[in-house]
DNA sequence: GAGTCTCCATAAATTAAAACTATTTAAATA
DNA sequence: TATTTAAATAGTTTTAATTTATGGAGACTC
C-alpha cells in the first residue's frame, strides 16, 4: 500500500505529548509504555523528516514544525471524533432516514399514524413515505430505494421470491352504502343483493379494485352483472360519492373509520361473503437493514397490526 | 491504547472502494490483495457496528451509514494531505534561497537585523539582499528576481497595480542637527526655522530625497528657499557631515539610532511638521510564493514592524 | 559538586496485526 | 446449467508495534 506518512495513533500520541508536555505522561494517559510513545514519535519524525519535539529540558516542547503538525492533528482528530459521534447517532437512531413504501390506501390512512408514532419515539430519524402501486413499490424495495413497505396486492412472481413477504394484518374491504339507502336497514345482505346496487368504484387499474373484483368473482358472483355507476381514482372521491347517495362501494375499513363513527356512511354485512385482503410487509433480506427500519418493523408495526386479525410474527 | 475505531488506512480503503465500486478494483488501486481490502472493511464494520457496503450485486454499494462515514472520510483524508503538504513546504526551508530587495536606507539599517533573525531560525536558507532604487526594486519583484522587498518611496503606477503593496511601518525622517548647533537647545522648532539652516542632503535622484522634498513642499514650505550646503550620495557621509557641524539634514531615524544614543547628533522636533514616510512591503501575488518568503513575511517582518507605528496586518 | 531523580533513548524479545496465497462460496451472465 | 466474476474465509508469513530491561543526560537536592 502506498504509504501514508502518519497514522492516527501517532497523531493521538503527538497530541497527548503536546498537552502533557511530557512523553511519559502521555504514555500514562494513553495506557502504553514510554518507549512505545518514543518510538512512534521517532517514526513520525523520520517519515515526515522533521523534528517535532525539543527534548532538551524537563519538558518536551514543540518545535515550529511540531506546532504546525499539531494544528492539523487537532483538526483531523476532531473530524474523527465527529465521525464517530455521527455513526453512534445513526446506530442509536439519532439520525438517518427511513424510507417507507405504501399503497394509496395504507399510505393515506395507516402510515401517517405509524410514522407519527415512530417520529414521536425517534424524533431525530427523518422518515420519507413513498406512495406507489404495489408493483412499483415491490421493485423499489428490491433495489434498495425503499427500506420497508406495506402492500395490499399481489407482487409479481419474481419479486415474491426475492423479497421477504410477511403477512401483517387483514384489511376488510367493507361494502358501504349511503346511510339513507333502503338496504341500510337490513341487518345482513345476501350476495344477490349486490346486483341491485349501483357501484362507485376505483378505476380498473388500481390494486384495490383488482383485489375486490377477484374476491367477488371467486365467491361466485358475475362481476359483469354488477352495475358500475362511475369509476373514480381517489378513495376520498368515492367516499364523497357514496355519502352523496350516488351508490355503493367496497372500501377498506381503515379508510372509513371517521365516516362510520359520524354515521355519514353505512357499512353493510353480507351473510355469505367476506371481502378481505392480506396486508403484507415486504423487505429485502439481501440488503443491509438500517437500524431505523429494524426498529420500525419490530416496534411500530405490531402496534397497528390489530386491525382485525391477531398479531403476526414479524 | 484506548482504541480508535478506525485507521487512516481503513479510511483510504473505504474511499477507494466507494470510488471504484468494487473491492477488487480498490485493491488493485492500492496495490494490495483483495482479501486485505475485505478484511479491513470487515474490521471497520465490526468496530463501528455498522454495515458500510451492500455487497449484494455486482457492485459494492454504500449503505446510508457508509455514505455518512465516507463524508467524514474524505474530509479527514483531505486534512491529512494538507498537513503533508504544509510539512513538505516547511522541509523545503532546509535549502533554497530567499532574495530580498531593499532601498539604501532599509537595506543598510533594517534588513541586516531582519536577515540575521531569519538566518538564525532557518540557517539552511541562504538569503540574498539586493539594494536598489525603489523603481528598480519594483521591477525586480515584478519579474521574479526578488521574492520580497521593502520600499520607502512611490512605485511607478503600472507596478502599483501589478504588485501587492502592504503598508508595513512608518519611518520618521527626522531633522537632525549638529549637537553644538544653536538651535539644538530649542525644545521645538517652527517650520520657519528651517529657512535658517544649512542642509546637507542626499542627491536629488534619491528616493528618500524626493520624499522629503515632497513632504516639505506639501506642508507649505518653499523648498527653493532652503539653503543646501552640499549634496552627498551616502547616508553615512551625510551623518558624518552633520556630526562635523557642516549642516542639518532629514534622515531616517533607523539610520541614526546609534548616533542619537551616543549624543553625537541632535534630533529636533518641529511643532507643525512631521516628516514621515510609509515603508511598504511589496510582493508579486501572481508568482509562486516560496515557503521561505512566506515565512519571512509572516514571522520575521512583524518582529520589526514596531519601528514607530503599530503592527500592520501582513 | 556528588548523589539522586526524572525523563527520554535504545536494544532485544514478545506480541499483535496486517499482508499474502490458496481456496470456497455466492451471485450474475451466457 | 455452465461459466465467470467478485467477495469471503482459512492458514501462513511477514511486518510492525509493544513490552521489558537498561543506559545516559539534565535537573534538583543537600
Amino acid at each position: 500500500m502506498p504509504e501514508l506518512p502518519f497514522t492516527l495513533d501517532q497523531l493521538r500520541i503527538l497530541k497527548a505529548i503536546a498537552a502533557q508536555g511530557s512523553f511519559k505522561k502521555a504514555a500514562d494517559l494513553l495506557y502504553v509504555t514510554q518507549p512505545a510513545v518514543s518510538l512512534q514519535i521517532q517514526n513520525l519524525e523520520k517519515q515526515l523528516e522533521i523534528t517535532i519535539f525539543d527534548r532538551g529540558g524537563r519538558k518536551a516542547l514543540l518545535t515550529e514544525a511540531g506546532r504546525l503538525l499539531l494544528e492539523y492533528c487537532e483538526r483531523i482528530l476532531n473530524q474523527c471524533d465527529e465521525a464517530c459521534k455521527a455513526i453512534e447517532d445513526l446506530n442509536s437512531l439519532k439520525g438517518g432516514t427511513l424510507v417507507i413504501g405504501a399503497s394509496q390506501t395504507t399510505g393515506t390512512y395507516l402510515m401517517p399514524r405509524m410514522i407519527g408514532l415512530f417520529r414521536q419515539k425517534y424524533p431525530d430519524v427523518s422518515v420519507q413515505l413513498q406512495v406507489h402501486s404495489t408493483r412499483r413499490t415491490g421493485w423499489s424495495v428490491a433495489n434498495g430505494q425503499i427500506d420497508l413497505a406495506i402492500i395490499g396486492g399481489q407482487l409479481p412472481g419474481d419479486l415474491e421470491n426475492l423479497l421477504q413477504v410477511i403477512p401483517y394484518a387483514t384489511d376488510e374491504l367493507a361494502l358501504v352504502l349511503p346511510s339513507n339507502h333502503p338496504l341500510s336497514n337490513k341487518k345482513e345482505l345476501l350476495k344477490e343483493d349486490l346486483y341491485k346496487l349501483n357501484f362507485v368504484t376505483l378505476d380498473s387499474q388500481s390494486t384495490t379494485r383488482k383485489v375486490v373484483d377477484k374476491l367477488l368473482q371467486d365467491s361466485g358472483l358475475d362481476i359483469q352483472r354488477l352495475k358500475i355507476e362511475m369509476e373514480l381514482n381517489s378513495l376520498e372521491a368515492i367516499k364523497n360519492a357514496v355519502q352523496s347517495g350516488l351508490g355503493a362501494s367496497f372500501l377498506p375499513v381503515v379508510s372509513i373509520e371517521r365516516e362510520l363513527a359520524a354515521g355519514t356512511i353505512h357499512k353493510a354485512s353480507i351473510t355469505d361473503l367476506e371481502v378481505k385482503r392480506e396486508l403484507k410487509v415486504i423487505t429485502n433480506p439481501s440488503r443491509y437493514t438500517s437500524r431505523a427500519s429494524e426498529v420500525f418493523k419490530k416496534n411500530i408495526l405490531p402496534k397497528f397490526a390489530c386491525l382485525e386479525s391477531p398479531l403476526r410474527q414479524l
Side-chain angles (χ1 to χ4, degrees), chain A:
Chain A
M1 182 132 56
E3 279 177 19
L4 235 49
F6 49 76
T7 69
L8 285 179
D9 277 334
Q10 287 170 340
L11 295 188
R12 241 151 52 92
I13 293 173
L14 163 61
K15 185 180 166 188
I17 299 175
Q20 304 287 320
S22 148
F23 281 40
K24 181 163 177 49
K25 282 181 193 154
D28 294 344
L29 190 74
L30 298 171
Y31 303 106
V32 290
T33 56
Q34 168 264 315
V37 169
S38 283
L39 291 191
Q40 283 307 324
I41 293 298
Q42 281 171 34
N43 288 345
L44 195 52
E45 291 182 324
K46 215 180 299 169
Q47 292 194 288
L48 294 176
E49 300 178 308
I50 56 175
T51 304
I52 297 173
F53 289 103
D54 267 330
R55 292 112 153 138
R58 195 161 272 285
K59 274 198 143 189
L61 288 173
L62 282 166
T63 63
E64 174 164 12
R67 277 192 296 276
L68 179 67
L69 186 58
L70 181 63
E71 257 179 60
Y72 284 97
C73 171
E74 310 241 328
R75 255 182 281 173
I76 291 167
L77 292 178
N78 280 344
Q79 286 290 319
C80 290
D81 286 345
E82 252 191 63
C84 290
K85 257 188 48 192
I87 294 290
E88 258 172 48
D89 281 354
L90 198 70
N91 273 342
S92 62
L93 291 178
K94 284 184 182 160
T97 306
L98 173 63
V99 184
I100 294 178
S103 63
Q104 187 67 47
T105 310
T106 52
T108 307
Y109 302 102
L110 188 57
M111 297 316 301
R113 279 185 280 164
M114 285 197 185
I115 292 171
L117 178 62
F118 179 84
R119 297 265 314 159
Q120 191 180 321
K121 288 195 169 184
Y122 309 102
D124 301 315
V125 181
S126 66
V127 178
Q128 196 184 322
L129 176 65
Q130 294 197 6
V131 175
H132 299 301
S133 66
T134 296
R135 181 186 196 77
R136 180 158 169 206
T137 299
W139 280 111
S140 291
V141 171
N143 64 29
Q145 291 169 351
I146 288 179
D147 292 313
L148 168 154
I150 296 187
I151 55 171
Q154 190 63 31
L155 279 176
D158 40 349
L159 284 180
E160 192 89 43
N161 303 318
L162 194 63
L163 304 179
Q164 186 185 34
V165 182
I166 304 170
Y168 168 60
T170 307
D171 180 29
E172 185 189 353
L173 293 154
L175 174 62
V176 294
L177 305 171
S179 349
N180 60 350
H181 193 280
L183 286 177
S184 295
N185 303 322
K186 285 184 71 173
K187 281 228 172 83
E188 294 243 312
L189 303 187
L190 297 172
K191 270 197 285 191
E192 303 304 318
D193 291 327
L194 295 180
Y195 296 123
K196 303 175 191 157
L197 295 168
N198 285 322
F199 281 97
V200 183
T201 72
L202 282 165
D203 70 83
S204 52
Q205 291 310 303
S206 121
T207 305
T208 304
R209 166 72 182 279
K210 284 182 194 160
V211 168
V212 172
D213 280 0
K214 185 167 185 308
L215 286 168
L216 296 181
Q217 202 154 33
D218 288 350
S219 81
L221 285 163
D222 175 7
I223 59 170
Q224 302 301 329
R225 280 183 59 201
L226 295 172
K227 278 171 286 185
I228 294 176
E229 185 77 18
M230 62 181 101
E231 290 186 356
L232 302 173
N233 66 357
S234 139
L235 288 173
E236 286 302 313
I238 295 176
K239 277 156 63 176
N240 287 327
V242 173
Q243 287 177 75
S244 308
L246 295 180
S249 188
F250 283 100
L251 291 176
V253 283
V254 289
S255 70
I256 51 169
E257 283 180 354
R258 216 185 308 275
E259 287 76 11
L260 288 178
T264 60
I265 221 170
H266 177 76
K267 173 172 174 289
S269 308
I270 305 170
T271 314
D272 44 0
L273 178 62
E274 271 196 331
V275 186
K276 288 182 175 176
R277 63 168 168 182
E278 285 274 316
L279 295 184
K280 284 153 281 189
V281 175
I282 58 173
T283 50
N284 187 339
S286 63
R287 281 194 175 267
Y288 160 72
T289 308
S290 78
R291 199 75 89 241
S293 171
E294 227 167 71
V295 165
F296 192 90
K297 207 162 149 188
K298 282 240 170 62
N299 302 346
I300 306 298
L301 284 176
K303 299 239 162 84
F304 293 86
C306 41
L307 289 176
E308 266 219 332
S309 72
L311 274 165
R312 298 304 238 295
Q313 83 296 337
L314 287 169

